[in-house]
Amino acid sequence: MRNVTKENITDTFLGYFGDDTDPRLQEIMQSLARHLHDFAVETKLTHKEWQVGLDILRRAGSITTPERDEFVLLSDVLGLSSLVDMVNSSEEGTSSSVLGPFHISNAPAMPMGSDLRGDYEGELILVEGRVLDPQGNPIAGATLDIWQTAPNGLYSSQDPDQDTYSFHALFTTGDDGRYGFTTVRPVSYTVPTDGPVGDLLTATGRHPWRPSHLHYIIKAPGFRTLVTEVFPDDDPYLDQDTVFGVRDDLVMKYLPQKAADFPGSGYVLSGKVAEDYSLVDFDLILTAE
Amino acid sequence: MRNVTKENITDTFLGYFGDDTDPRLQEIMQSLARHLHDFAVETKLTHKEWQVGLDILRRAGSITTPERDEFVLLSDVLGLSSLVDMVNSSEEGTSSSVLGPFHISNAPAMPMGSDLRGDYEGELILVEGRVLDPQGNPIAGATLDIWQTAPNGLYSSQDPDQDTYSFHALFTTGDDGRYGFTTVRPVSYTVPTDGPVGDLLTATGRHPWRPSHLHYIIKAPGFRTLVTEVFPDDDPYLDQDTVFGVRDDLVMKYLPQKAADFPGSGYVLSGKVAEDYSLVDFDLILTAE
């Protein structure tokens, strides 16, 4: 194998593997190398273009911190993150969607019916629904880890003016599988554009916007954890989410409601709502582990 | 295109491109995205495996400096760097091979016949040959930028004990196209293994060795620049260069010579050699631009 050629380099690469290499690692590296090699041959990638690619990775490395991960963002805008979600998504249950870089762990447990608005002003929304199994039975004891942007388009982890857990909450369902809370309508926002990923978006004529959404991580004993997002059907970026997160079954409606129609009980705001609001009614279906 | 799926995500990605995107950039991104997407689908890459990949990139970023580029090394051990060389290599001339991360610019011009050994001890070799066009005509005015490891296996850029341009030289051919110099025999060495690339080599049962070699960058007016390496046929790592640099036509022989046979003129060491030495006779063929 002394004479490495365009034709035999992938086999040469595989031939270097030790006999006791983990078979799954071997499978992944084989597929990765074959696709990278085919990419270079198909495009006849020049040294200069290869350097441009390396420079994107070097710049991503130099801008990445625990709070700002340019490699995840690169994976996101290339559609790779969404594809990893989709190949691991259950066919039966609610689709998964990208976790994104803004989730923070250990959100405070809150009573069902809580209000997430804090001191923020914005369009009031009431979000409710059920956590169900594929047969439509309610799942009790499911935890819903919820997070969203503040009205300024920033998550608390990006925004020094917000408390750590601003617009974050953890709810646990009862026997009826129901959840419900009030908050302000989340807004569309842009992914960070001050790094190499922003330059790549600009160079390919792409905008950096994501449609507004609510994030959910739902866990329940005996069920697969669901990481997902829910998008309103009237968002201007719904058809062009820059990170490819939208799925048909993750699109919901804001249903306009009169103040007087606000539920009389079950919510912190019950009896205190003087403004019209919007209702989101969204069920989430988990599948067995 | 609201419902992004495993089947349509590559087309969705391409559909986001602006109409005035540079066609070559579009071609490259199209091929890259398609191959990354196919990789994720074929392997059914899990979130955990995706995170392992991201972590390799993050660790590569944190270890990379202007002197130590882990992204280049990753490209090298995946065979991508060599493949970029091969797809851009001329069919007619001497094969190109990887530049590697150890080249430093502006090596000092030296008279033909110089000795590169400095104060270092090692097996004396005499390297000579011609720079030719594909028809076998000598090329005058070609510059040969030469570099190699010291006997300790380190390049000067890695080794604080060496002078900046230790084992580096720049020669210019005369009308006969000939070049020649004396040096010590370069040695096999390992690529850096203290980063994520080293871990990847270990996990796949690969050694980190490169066969010993002499580096050349040859430039001449009207000809394509040739970046290459030349390897001895008796190196134990010749058949398993961890960066895939070896090509049939880049393999040379060390021909044993008696001290008394050293050329009587034309070399700094002429008349001063008391030890047996090895001769390397290697012609390099450039192709027209």
Side-chain angles (χ1 to χ4, degrees):
Chain A
M1 205 53 93
R2 168 179 311 182
N3 189 37
V4 178
T5 66
K6 288 196 287 287
E7 289 71 32
N8 71 18
I9 191 167
T10 311
D11 289 338
T12 304
F13 174 83
L14 296 172
Y16 283 5
F17 279 55
D19 290 339
D20 56 354
T21 302
D22 175 79
R24 176 63 178 161
L25 177 62
Q26 178 138 356
E27 181 185 6
I28 289 172
M29 294 308 297
Q30 174 166 356
S31 177
L32 181 64
R34 189 161 53 72
H35 281 296
L36 282 177
H37 293 175
D38 287 353
F39 160 67
V41 171
E42 267 176 33
T43 59
K44 289 186 182 287
L45 197 70
T46 67
H47 286 94
K48 195 171 164 187
E49 290 160 348
W50 173 73
Q51 284 290 0
V52 170
L54 287 169
D55 201 48
I56 289 174
L57 294 176
R58 281 188 288 257
R59 289 180 59 206
S62 69
I63 208 171
T64 291
T65 63
E67 290 75 37
R68 161 69 188 281
D69 195 321
E70 192 79 355
F71 294 110
V72 171
L73 187 60
L74 183 59
S75 168
D76 290 352
V77 304
L78 290 175
L80 183 62
S81 312
S82 267
L83 200 42
V84 170
D85 281 328
M86 289 190 282
V87 298
N88 292 287
S89 198
S90 159
E91 299 283 324
E92 279 187 308
T94 299
S95 294
S96 62
S97 185
V98 289
L99 171 66
F102 303 119
H103 179 251
I104 49 176
S105 300
N106 304 315
M110 297 178 88
M112 209 60 87
S114 290
D115 182 38
L116 273 54
R117 296 181 302 171
D119 297 329
Y120 284 87
E121 303 211 339
E123 260 185 84
L124 178 64
I125 60 173
L126 190 165
V127 184
E128 58 181 22
R130 293 169 300 165
V131 181
L132 302 171
D133 71 15
Q135 289 71 46
N137 302 307
I139 300 176
T143 59
L144 296 97
D145 188 349
I146 309 272
W147 70 108
Q148 67 167 85
T149 52
N152 64 359
L154 296 174
Y155 289 90
S156 64
S157 59
Q158 300 174 284
D159 185 358
D161 292 337
Q162 290 182 60
D163 293 337
T164 307
Y165 291 108
S166 163
F167 294 106
H168 287 70
L170 190 72
F171 299 110
T172 303
T173 57
D175 288 343
D176 58 1
R178 294 198 68 83
Y179 75 95
F181 60 94
T182 48
T183 183
V184 295
R185 184 174 169 149
V187 297
S188 316
Y189 62 87
T190 62
V191 298
T193 56
D194 58 337
V197 171
D199 292 348
L200 189 61
L201 292 177
T202 302
T204 53
R206 287 174 56 181
H207 68 70
W209 287 90
R210 296 211 62 201
S212 62
H213 51 268
L214 289 164
H215 287 276
Y216 293 78
I217 298 177
I218 308 181
K219 298 183 183 188
F223 293 88
R224 288 180 59 174
T225 295
L226 175 65
V227 178
T228 196
E229 311 170 284
V230 174
F231 306 86
D233 66 351
D234 60 352
D235 193 288
Y237 299 104
L238 192 69
D239 288 348
Q240 251 201 45
D241 178 1
T242 203
V243 309
F244 308 93
V246 179
R247 318 276 176 265
D248 261 351
D249 69 322
L250 300 180
V251 177
M252 51 79 166
K253 259 190 196 313
Y254 285 117
L255 302 167
Q257 309 288 313
K258 294 290 173 199
D261 296 331
F262 196 90
S265 67
Y267 288 88
V268 168
L269 296 186
S270 293
K272 300 177 197 164
V273 170
E275 59 192 292
D276 292 348
Y277 66 98
S278 292
L279 173 68
V280 175
D281 189 352
F282 200 86
D283 292 346
L284 297 129
I285 301 165
L286 304 191
T287 55
E289 262 177 335
Chain B
M1 208 49 95
R2 170 178 311 181
N3 189 38
V4 178
T5 66
K6 288 195 288 285
E7 289 71 32
N8 72 19
I9 191 167
T10 310
D11 289 338
T12 304
F13 174 83
L14 296 173
Y16 283 5
F17 279 55
D19 291 339
D20 56 354
T21 302
D22 175 80
R24 176 62 177 163
L25 177 61
Q26 178 138 356
E27 180 185 8
I28 290 172
M29 294 307 297
Q30 173 165 357
S31 177
L32 181 65
R34 189 161 54 72
H35 282 296
L36 283 177
H37 293 174
D38 287 352
F39 159 67
V41 171
E42 266 175 35
T43 59
K44 289 184 181 289
L45 197 71
T46 68
H47 286 94
K48 195 171 162 186
E49 290 161 348
W50 173 72
Q51 284 289 359
V52 169
L54 288 169
D55 201 47
I56 289 174
L57 295 175
R58 281 188 288 258
R59 289 180 60 207
S62 70
I63 208 171
T64 291
T65 63
E67 290 76 37
R68 161 71 187 279
D69 195 321
E70 193 79 355
F71 293 111
V72 171
L73 187 60
L74 183 59
S75 169
D76 289 351
V77 304
L78 290 175
L80 183 62
S81 312
S82 268
L83 199 43
V84 170
D85 282 328
M86 289 190 282
V87 298
N88 291 288
S89 199
S90 158
E91 300 284 325
E92 280 188 306
T94 299
S95 293
S96 62
S97 185
V98 289
L99 171 66
F102 302 119
H103 179 250
I104 49 175
S105 300
N106 303 316
M110 297 176 86
M112 209 59 87
S114 291
D115 182 38
L116 272 54
R117 295 180 302 171
D119 296 330
Y120 284 87
E121 303 211 340
E123 259 185 83
L124 178 64
I125 61 173
L126 190 165
V127 184
E128 59 180 21
R130 293 169 301 165
V131 182
L132 302 172
D133 71 15
Q135 289 72 45
N137 302 308
I139 300 176
T143 58
L144 296 97
D145 188 349
I146 309 272
W147 71 107
Q148 66 166 85
T149 52
N152 64 359
L154 296 175
Y155 290 90
S156 64
S157 60
Q158 300 174 284
D159 185 357
D161 292 338
Q162 289 182 59
D163 293 337
T164 307
Y165 290 108
S166 162
F167 293 107
H168 287 69
L170 190 72
F171 299 110
T172 303
T173 58
D175 287 343
D176 58 2
R178 295 199 68 82
Y179 74 95
F181 59 94
T182 47
T183 183
V184 296
R185 184 174 169 147
V187 298
S188 316
Y189 62 88
T190 62
V191 298
T193 56
D194 58 339
V197 170
D199 292 348
L200 190 62
L201 293 177
T202 302
T204 53
R206 286 174 56 180
H207 69 69
W209 287 90
R210 295 212 63 200
S212 62
H213 51 269
L214 289 164
H215 287 276
Y216 293 78
I217 298 177
I218 308 181
K219 298 183 184 188
F223 292 88
R224 289 180 61 175
T225 296
L226 174 64
V227 178
T228 196
E229 312 169 283
V230 173
F231 306 86
D233 66 351
D234 61 352
D235 193 287
Y237 299 104
L238 192 69
D239 287 349
Q240 251 200 43
D241 179 0
T242 204
V243 308
F244 308 92
V246 180
R247 317 277 176 263
D248 262 352
D249 69 321
L250 300 180
V251 177
M252 51 79 165
K253 259 190 195 315
Y254 285 118
L255 302 167
Q257 309 287 315
K258 295 289 172 199
D261 295 331
F262 196 89
S265 67
Y267 288 88
V268 168
L269 296 187
S270 293
K272 300 177 198 164
V273 169
E275 60 193 290
D276 293 348
Y277 66 98
S278 292
L279 173 68
V280 176
D281 188 353
F282 200 86
D283 291 345
L284 297 129
I285 301 166
L286 304 192
T287 55
E289 260 178 337

